[in-house]
Amino acid sequence: MTLPSPGHIHFWLSGALLLLGLYGMLASPHLVRKLMGMNIMQTAIIVFFLTLAAKTDATFPLIGQDELAPAAEGYVNPLPHALMLTAIVVGVSTTGVALALVIRIHRHFGTLEEPELLAKLRE
Amino acid sequence: MNAHLPVLLVVVPLLAAAIIPLVAFRSARLARGVALATLAVTVTIAYAALGRALEVGVIRYHLGGWPPPWGIEYVIDPLAGGMAVLIASFALIAAVYAGPFLATVPRRGAGGFHAIYLLLVTGLLGMTVTGDLFNLYVFLEISSLAVYALIALGGPLGVVASFRYLLLGTVAGSFYLLGIGYLYALTGTLNMADMVIRLAPLGDSPGVSVGVALIVVGLAIKMALFPLHGWLPDAYTFAPAPVTGFVAAVMTKVGAYAMFRILFFVVTPAAVASDVLVLLGWAAALAVIAGSAMALAQTNVHRMLAYSSVGQMGYIVMGIAIGTPLALTGALLHILNHAVMKGCLFLTAGGVLFRTGASDVAGYAGVARRLPLGMAAFAIAAASLVGLPPTGGFFSKWYLLLAAVDSGLWPFALALVASSLMTAVYLFRVIERSYFAEAPDPARPPSPLRELPAGMLAPIILLAVSTLLIGILNQSIVTHVIAFALPVPGGR
């Protein structure tokens, strides 16, 4: 077991955020809070990817037209950002579908607390 | 034209999914026609792609003309082509079956159903043809989102099952994505073929191990590998019949395919791959026993079949875990077999529910007299699930059993045999009841409607006949298709 080194602190932080989200999904009895836990977990992964792109002493990945083979060290890696844009879209759609389901559950069962919901399901 | 086959496989159902809700405004019947025609075209493309992959070799398509590893690459080798054929054919069969079922839902709903159904097909086909790890994640989420919506069509209980599946499915997707993040951080690539080369010098790095472990756990949730199967029984029990038929037949298999692809074609250089396979093997052995045992304890036929799927996924994973050519042949053949026979069983059970309202084993009393052809199909598919020759199920189980014995893995062989016996018990219970028990209420006037509507019966019979055909033709399926789908040293 190595202690977190200062250079890797962002990995530990995103890991902590991920576990926080998972814990929220497991521990909270309320469906909307579970959903919030899920969103926190997804955000942790987005943060993880974005920190991969970061570089010190680098600038925006905007390349002039004449510059054919730029030195990659000078630019921030744009790919993780592009990937996470897609992941954010996925997260938004998942949340949207989940909220629609939550509304239908609430309309039919009149509750979003899991213990009450389970009791009604058993009937 | 031929060069574009991989991308057409995804674009055709995707475009149709966008058009169908608009068509449904004018006519629900026309929308259904468009959906069926699209699926028929997709099946044709899938067959053409498989044929070409077998004849000419692997088809590679660079999206937008960007060469890999920078751009996204679609790859159809015989393995991906075979999966695509299975998915597309099954999508068409289940869509035909859905006709009489859709007659009972409001007309506006039919357009939405077909659009979401085609999105599900798009996602599953995309997962099979893509050669890019992140693209696989996107298609995984497309198919997942579509399936949440389809399961929620099954009434209030379906909505609750769908919500639970959504939470677990998102955790699965996130684990997969995080695993990809680890591998990307270490290799700087997302292309599967490129990843193989770049992982080789990394060897046994802990980062690779964490990445692979996260990917495997994510996909294991998606394929409902015991003990991560929690979402499956409710989802399969409460979803509408055509959805359960399709999802149970194909969706978990695509998860298994993705795991097979990644473990055998992408992370092979990493030492962790073989450790993962050992663990997976034992999880699979547990799944085989536990799935069948839990199925034995069910009184609801749908739930029983759902738990049976948990056990049968164990067979497939066990084949992948043993990893010898014989075992992989068995696993791939079982993917095909299980899709056909479990699809047939679920569609028949859905038909029985549709016609008689019975879903409990007790309620099946005398059902065979009302649905003689449907229950005959059920019996054939059940025989295949148990593994009786000459049905297809016998051969895939035989390959797996031989492979387990060859590798000296006696506990696995024992699990396979024990599970087959339990399968026989829980399925013959249903068959016995439906053929030999008297209907519970003879005083009630028999319903004038016998048998199922042709639209439901034809898919069921087609699948039952396929079960027998796969059994008879298994030798040529293995030598002409599956043999080419196995991983060869040196990659794709």
Side-chain angles (χ1 to χ4, degrees):
Chain A
M1 181 71 205
T2 48
L3 287 172
S5 68
H8 289 150
I9 194 79
H10 51 274
F11 290 136
W12 290 90
L13 286 177
S14 60
L17 203 56
L18 182 100
L19 293 178
L20 193 70
L22 271 176
Y23 177 77
M25 289 177 78
L26 292 173
S28 170
H30 196 276
L31 297 190
V32 174
R33 292 200 187 162
K34 282 182 190 293
L35 211 54
M36 289 171 164
M38 187 186 95
N39 280 335
I40 294 174
M41 180 193 68
Q42 289 174 311
T43 310
I45 293 168
I46 292 169
V47 171
F48 171 78
F49 264 84
L50 294 187
T51 52
L52 294 179
K55 283 178 192 168
T56 43
D57 298 329
T59 182
F60 318 108
L62 287 177
I63 296 161
Q65 268 189 331
D66 332 312
E67 237 178 316
L68 279 178
E73 313 81 70
Y75 298 99
V76 167
N77 184 357
L79 185 65
H81 294 87
L83 298 180
M84 284 311 103
L85 219 48
T86 316
I88 289 168
V89 173
V90 168
V92 169
S93 341
T94 314
T95 311
V97 173
L99 287 175
L101 294 175
V102 162
I103 291 170
R104 283 192 53 191
I105 291 174
H106 191 262
R107 268 195 203 140
H108 191 267
F109 295 99
T111 179
L112 290 175
E113 296 285 341
E114 199 167 43
E116 291 176 28
L117 188 62
L118 286 177
K120 291 200 175 176
L121 284 176
R122 255 182 241 116
E123 281 166 16
Chain B
M1 181 68 190
N2 273 335
H4 294 287
L5 286 175
V7 75
L8 282 176
L9 211 46
V10 176
V11 168
V12 169
L14 183 64
L15 281 182
I19 295 167
I20 284 170
L22 303 176
V23 178
F25 263 114
R26 295 203 62 83
S27 150
R29 183 178 277 197
L30 185 62
R32 178 165 169 74
V34 173
L36 290 178
T38 309
L39 287 171
V41 170
T42 313
V43 172
T44 319
I45 299 172
Y47 270 103
L50 174 63
R52 205 170 147 76
L54 285 172
E55 252 171 54
V56 186
V58 180
I59 317 175
R60 291 169 187 279
Y61 183 88
H62 302 159
L63 250 75
W66 292 91
W70 297 283
I72 293 170
E73 181 186 33
Y74 283 0
V75 185
I76 294 190
D77 55 6
L79 175 61
M83 278 306 288
V85 165
L86 179 68
I87 296 165
S89 316
F90 225 98
L92 181 60
I93 291 172
V96 170
Y97 175 91
F101 160 81
L102 284 174
T104 62
V105 302
R107 277 186 57 198
R108 273 185 308 137
F113 173 84
H114 284 116
I116 299 172
Y117 187 77
L118 281 172
L119 276 181
L120 171 60
V121 176
T122 308
L124 295 179
L125 286 172
M127 280 176 76
T128 57
V129 300
T130 188
D132 185 278
L133 289 167
F134 187 78
N135 201 232
L136 184 84
Y137 166 74
V138 175
F139 280 122
L140 177 79
E141 289 293 349
I142 291 176
S143 62
S144 303
L145 284 169
V147 92
Y148 304 148
L150 289 175
I151 291 170
L153 290 176
L157 293 175
V159 175
V160 177
S162 167
F163 186 79
R164 281 193 187 147
Y165 182 20
L166 185 143
L167 289 180
L168 268 174
T170 308
V171 172
S174 302
F175 274 28
Y176 175 82
L177 181 59
L178 192 58
I180 296 302
Y182 270 87
L183 295 187
Y184 173 70
L186 290 163
T187 61
T189 187
L190 290 166
N191 182 280
M192 291 183 187
D194 198 31
M195 183 76 80
V196 183
I197 301 163
R198 284 168 196 267
L199 271 179
L202 290 173
D204 224 355
S205 123
V208 177
S209 308
V210 174
V212 172
L214 283 168
I215 290 174
V216 167
V217 171
L219 291 176
I221 297 177
K222 274 277 144 202
M223 58 202 266
L225 178 62
F226 182 84
L228 302 172
H229 64 280
W231 60 269
L232 184 140
D234 275 353
Y236 282 16
T237 309
F238 299 125
V243 174
T244 308
F246 180 61
V247 170
V250 211
M251 195 158 171
T252 45
K253 313 296 185 304
V254 179
Y257 160 85
M259 189 182 270
F260 178 51
R261 173 70 81 199
I262 288 173
L263 285 178
F264 279 83
F265 292 80
V266 182
V267 299
T268 27
V272 65
S274 50
D275 298 344
V276 165
L277 285 177
V278 172
L279 256 176
L280 276 179
W282 288 101
L286 273 179
V288 165
I289 294 288
S292 299
M294 288 185 295
L296 213 49
Q298 305 304 319
T299 53
N300 179 304
V301 175
H302 295 258
R303 194 169 277 273
M304 180 190 92
L305 292 175
Y307 276 112
S308 150
S309 283
V310 174
Q312 299 291 320
M313 279 316 287
Y315 282 68
I316 295 167
V317 176
M318 186 184 283
I320 294 175
I322 296 173
T324 57
L326 196 62
L328 293 176
T329 306
L332 293 180
L333 193 62
H334 204 65
I335 286 183
L336 171 67
N337 269 326
H338 184 248
V340 174
M341 61 208 186
K342 190 51 70 64
C344 183
L345 291 174
F346 264 119
L347 292 185
T348 318
V352 171
L353 182 67
F354 179 82
R355 194 49 108 204
T356 69
S359 60
D360 277 1
V361 177
Y364 270 58
V367 159
R369 243 154 288 159
R370 292 192 60 192
L371 310 167
L373 285 171
M375 283 316 289
F378 190 95
I380 292 173
S384 178
L385 198 66
V386 175
L388 299 180
T391 54
F394 168 75
F395 293 98
S396 44
K397 286 194 183 184
W398 182 245
Y399 280 115
L400 289 171
L401 200 61
L402 278 185
V405 172
D406 267 3
S407 313
L409 295 163
W410 289 100
F412 289 9
L414 209 63
L416 288 172
V417 174
S419 159
S420 289
L421 291 176
M422 285 192 271
T423 311
V425 174
Y426 65 71
L427 283 172
F428 287 155
R429 204 173 49 172
V430 178
I431 294 174
E432 188 261 345
R433 201 111 196 116
S434 56
Y435 275 95
F436 302 116
E438 285 298 326
D441 187 8
R444 199 176 54 188
S447 158
L449 287 165
R450 282 174 66 87
E451 208 45 83
L452 293 166
M456 284 173 121
L457 192 59
I460 291 173
I461 291 188
L462 177 67
L463 289 175
V465 172
S466 310
T467 311
L468 292 172
L469 280 182
I470 293 170
I472 294 162
L473 300 175
N474 88 89
Q475 195 61 44
S476 50
I477 294 175
V478 167
T479 48
H480 292 301
V481 182
I482 293 181
F484 295 94
L486 298 179
V488 280
R492 218 173 175 184

